[in-house]
Amino acid sequence: MASVRDATTESAIWHHLKDEGMGLSRTTIQLLLNEASLRPFSGSVATLGRQHIYFTWDDFRQFARKADVPVKTVIVPELHREPALSKHRYASDGSILRGLGFSDCVAVDCSSYEDADEILDLNAEETPPHLQNRFDPVLDLGTMEHVFHTRNVL
């Protein structure tokens, strides 16, 4: 049974995603910053698919300051790879994840359509050896429900 906090969190995420699309929305980044304030992030993160970002690097720094979470230095924060988002100066997923403290950010997808770092069919029975036990968290913001063999994803 989900707790009240879980239900509220899921409701907040869904509300924001339906307005902004899938990815790291302002609400989602707040949830990640709350987690980082309890347990700082480090190591390697995998995202299932490239993440759309709906805020600027300066917005991210402001959110982190309010959450009392130190931002890791990113030499030159990159703009989002998609022109429709970069024209608003929205940050790249890698910049934000490195800013959260991850040293390695790997986008995993079933095709190279969105310039994934690793191509992986999540319906496959086995995860390739070079990806096994490689990541600290795996961030899924809207992929798993599209996979036929959910058991394989987990």
Side-chain angles (χ1 to χ4, degrees):
M1 177 184 284
S3 71
V4 172
R5 180 176 180 210
D6 292 341
T8 302
T9 299
E10 287 180 27
S11 175
I13 290 172
W14 175 247
H15 173 73
H16 229 72
L17 291 180
K18 72 180 179 129
D19 292 336
E20 297 181 334
M22 300 305 283
L24 286 172
S25 66
R26 292 169 184 263
T27 301
T28 306
I29 199 64
Q30 296 295 336
L31 295 171
L32 288 171
L33 286 166
N34 288 343
E35 183 65 23
S37 71
L38 301 172
R39 289 179 289 277
F41 294 121
S42 64
S44 185
V45 61
T47 61
L48 299 185
R50 286 278 180 196
Q51 303 304 305
H52 288 158
I53 304 295
Y54 299 99
F55 47 87
T56 68
W57 178 254
D58 288 338
D59 291 336
F60 171 66
R61 289 183 17 209
Q62 182 180 15
F63 301 152
R65 211 173 11 260
K66 286 181 182 175
D68 199 28
V69 173
V71 172
K72 302 298 180 195
T73 302
V74 175
I75 302 299
V76 177
E78 300 167 345
L79 291 178
H80 200 282
R81 74 194 174 291
E82 290 190 17
L85 296 175
S86 66
K87 77 177 184 182
H88 297 289
R89 313 267 325 140
Y90 291 160
S92 71
D93 52 354
S95 291
I96 297 302
L97 293 168
R98 283 189 296 280
L100 282 169
F102 295 107
S103 56
D104 186 30
C105 308
V106 178
V108 177
D109 212 329
C110 64
S111 76
S112 60
Y113 171 70
E114 289 190 318
D115 199 26
D117 300 309
E118 293 284 346
I119 307 301
L120 175 64
D121 179 358
L122 294 173
N123 286 304
E125 288 290 324
E126 294 291 324
T127 301
H130 74 282
L131 295 177
Q132 293 178 12
N133 301 312
R134 178 174 166 190
F135 305 105
D136 298 296
V138 174
L139 188 59
D140 174 17
L141 296 173
T143 297
M144 196 166 86
E145 67 267 20
H146 301 287
V147 176
F148 183 72
H149 296 291
T150 306
R151 178 186 72 184
N152 294 354
V153 177
L154 299 174

